[in-house]
Amino acid sequence: MRKFLIDTDTASDDAIALIMALREPTIQVEAITVVCGNLSVDQAVKNALNTIEAVNSYAPPVYRGMHKPIMRELFTSEYVHGSDGMGNMHLPAPAGKPEDMHAIDAIIHHIMANPHELEVVTLGPMTNLALAYLKEPRIAEYVKRVIVMGGQGLGPGNVTPVAEFNFYVDAEAVEIVLQSGMPLTFVGWDVSMGKTFIDEGDMERIAALQTPLAKFALSCTKVLQEHNLSQYGRRGFDLPDPTAMAVAIWPDMVCAAFETYGYMETKSEQTYGQLIIDRFHVHQKPANVTICQEIDADRFKQKLLELLS
């Protein structure tokens, strides 16, 4: 049984990614740490607990983390996910409660307690993980691998022309993690806007399942669907966090990827949050990240249907 720690700023696509991990029989979610990003950290904690209750399988401990980025004020995305981050479902207060331990300490604790076994999946800004590393640098050598939803790949950004949301919220945190020596794989927003995009036919197949989790998935993405139509003219919705989760659960689903040296732009207001990808080794520095470019979209969608069934 593989062990995951999931760090999330729980909104609609995060919730679906959590469902995937909690439902996949080969994965044991050891812990869920929550960070600010899409929403305030308190709303994101509530959404994580609500999602766990919706899955109704087992309840990993949930830890509240940072309420703001390291250097900047928090930029949120209710305009993409709804005022509650869950498509304006406005779910009731969950029965579960977060643990007393802070998410930063929880990340350190779980990695050090499971040396070379724990896989970390980050679905939001990397504030919690960066600060955990600064507090205990040994986690870089003890973590098995880190799968990150973040960056724009070789394409455009979705918050600025060059920056993807998670990296834009806290670029300093991403830079700390990039230079930490952790074994990193980045799955950018571009991957979710390609063949993995959930179109109208896919939505019909999800609806036809008629399961509580399928209904939950479509309901929590209602505002995301509206955003895709108004912003990109596409009917359906992108699933950045579930595509990253798919890479974490099924590494052989990756169809195209490359290793490179990457670093973050943190100084310029115009390009803040851009992941600089030195694909042709201009800086002559060793690779510090694997960039995922494409996954098997048909297999991804089939697995998603199975886990929502």
Side-chain angles (χ1 to χ4, degrees), residues 115-157:
H116 312 297
E117 291 185 4
L118 193 69
E119 300 173 65
V120 172
V121 185
T122 71
L123 305 177
M126 299 178 74
T127 316
N128 284 342
L129 183 61
L131 291 174
Y133 166 73
L134 292 179
K135 186 172 184 178
E136 177 48 273
R138 289 183 299 167
I139 66 171
E141 59 183 283
Y142 277 73
V143 70
K144 184 175 181 180
R145 65 179 186 141
V146 182
I147 305 297
V148 174
M149 189 283 118
Q152 74 288 350
L154 299 176

Side-chain angles (χ1 to χ4, degrees), residues 85-216:
M86 299 290 280
N88 293 329
M89 292 170 70
H90 299 296
L91 296 166
K97 302 293 181 185
E99 304 295 319
D100 291 334
M101 183 184 288
H102 194 280
I104 291 171
D105 296 314
I107 290 170
I108 295 169
H109 167 74
H110 284 281
I111 291 176
M112 300 305 286
N114 297 277
H116 312 297
E117 291 185 4
L118 193 69
E119 300 173 65
V120 172
V121 185
T122 71
L123 305 177
M126 299 178 74
T127 316
N128 284 342
L129 183 61
L131 291 174
Y133 166 73
L134 292 179
K135 186 172 184 178
E136 177 48 273
R138 289 183 299 167
I139 66 171
E141 59 183 283
Y142 277 73
V143 70
K144 184 175 181 180
R145 65 179 186 141
V146 182
I147 305 297
V148 174
M149 189 283 118
Q152 74 288 350
L154 299 176
N158 59 1
V159 175
T160 75
V162 296
E164 176 274 330
F165 176 83
N166 282 348
F167 284 9
Y168 178 81
V169 170
D170 197 344
E172 286 81 7
V174 184
E175 180 64 7
I176 289 168
V177 174
L178 270 168
Q179 306 308 326
S180 70
M182 296 184 202
L184 301 170
T185 297
F186 286 0
V187 185
W189 175 67
D190 56 313
V191 177
S192 70
M193 292 299 283
K195 295 177 182 178
T196 61
F197 188 87
I198 303 300
D199 60 25
E200 290 181 288
D202 299 318
M203 291 171 62
E204 290 174 2
R205 283 184 281 276
I206 293 172
L209 295 174
Q210 289 293 305
T211 63
L213 286 178
K215 294 174 183 177
F216 184 90

Side-chain angles (χ1 to χ4, degrees), residues 45 51 84 120 126 148 164 171-172 196 208 238-239 243 246 278 301:
V45 166
T51 302
D84 64 348
V120 172
M126 299 178 74
V148 174
E164 176 274 330
E172 286 81 7
T196 61
D238 55 318
L239 287 178
T243 55
D278 185 13
K301 292 179 179 182

